[in-house]
């Protein structure tokens, strides 16, 4: 059964949008491998538009939950920094706490970095945790 895509990450406003859209799951090929989710980062602004394919492992979801917890208490976060795939940096605006700079950095494939400013209201966090739960429910993953 094919599931509809689910946005794990959705930051948008003021004409700018950054998403991490999960489009499916690749089952493990060997008993010693973990399942992996298939997705893409989507950046859409009046100036820049692009997508970047990525894979999400079970550990990435755990790290995203910890990153959300840190961001929710006011800290900047770097998710998947220095790893095998594109990573995400979210920094709160020093002058406006309801705004942040979102950077997607791909040091392995496209060698591209893009930074977008978007609103980050308190209400966003409830939605972000709900999205994480939705991804986990839609595509349960086995680990090894």
């Amino acid at each position: 059964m094919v599931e509809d895509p689910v946005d794990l990450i959705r930051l948008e406003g003021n004409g700018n949008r950054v998403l991490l859209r999960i489009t499916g799951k690749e089952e493990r090929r060997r008993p010693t491998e973990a399942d992996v989710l298939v997705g893409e980062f989507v950046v859409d602004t009046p100036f820049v538009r692009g997508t970047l394919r990525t894979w999400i492992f079970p550990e990435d979801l755990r790290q995203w939950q910890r990153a959300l917890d840190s961001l929710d208490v006011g800290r900047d976060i770097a998710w998947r920094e220095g790893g095998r795939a594109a990573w995400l940096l979210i920094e709160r605006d020093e002058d406006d706490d309801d705004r942040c700079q979102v950077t997607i950095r791909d040091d392995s494939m496209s060698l591209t970095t893009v930074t977008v400013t978007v609103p980050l209201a308190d209400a966003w966090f409830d939605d972000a945790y709900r999205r994480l739960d939705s991804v986990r429910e839609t595509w349960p993953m086995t680990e090894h």
Side-chain angles (χ1 to χ4, degrees):
M1 180 175 162
V2 176
E3 300 289 341
D4 289 332
V6 175
D7 293 341
L8 173 61
I9 300 171
R10 177 180 281 274
L11 293 150
E12 61 185 337
N14 301 327
N16 295 335
R17 182 168 72 147
V18 176
L19 310 173
L20 175 53
R21 180 163 289 148
I22 307 301
T23 57
K25 180 170 91 169
E26 292 180 2
E27 301 287 334
R28 61 189 174 152
R29 293 190 183 119
R30 289 180 245 154
T32 57
E33 294 179 339
D35 290 342
V36 62
L37 298 179
V38 179
E40 65 181 354
F41 283 103
V42 177
V43 175
D44 186 11
T45 77
F47 181 66
V48 175
R49 285 190 180 90
T51 62
L52 179 67
R53 185 177 166 106
T54 193
W55 290 266
I56 307 296
F57 292 85
E59 178 60 23
D60 294 331
L61 293 179
R62 285 191 298 278
Q63 289 176 2
W64 177 239
Q65 176 145 11
R66 287 192 297 271
L68 279 175
D69 294 344
S70 292
L71 193 60
D72 197 13
V73 295
R75 292 187 213 121
D76 297 342
I77 59 108
W79 178 61
R80 302 193 324 174
E81 181 178 19
R84 73 207 165 287
W87 55 280
L88 179 80
L89 174 66
I90 301 177
E91 299 173 289
R92 294 206 178 238
D93 189 307
E94 292 178 12
D95 299 324
D96 183 353
D97 197 40
D98 288 337
R99 198 169 63 178
C100 67
Q101 285 74 47
V102 180
T103 301
I104 298 173
R105 184 173 178 141
D106 179 26
D107 294 329
S108 62
M109 298 290 288
S110 68
L111 305 176
T112 302
T113 300
V114 63
T115 300
V116 176
T117 301
V118 293
L120 186 64
D122 285 339
W124 177 84
F125 290 97
D126 290 337
D127 185 58
Y129 285 109
R130 184 189 57 73
R131 288 179 184 285
L132 176 59
D133 290 342
S134 179
V135 166
R136 287 177 167 157
E137 291 167 10
T138 303
W139 293 289
M141 298 170 63
T142 58
E143 298 183 51
H144 284 279

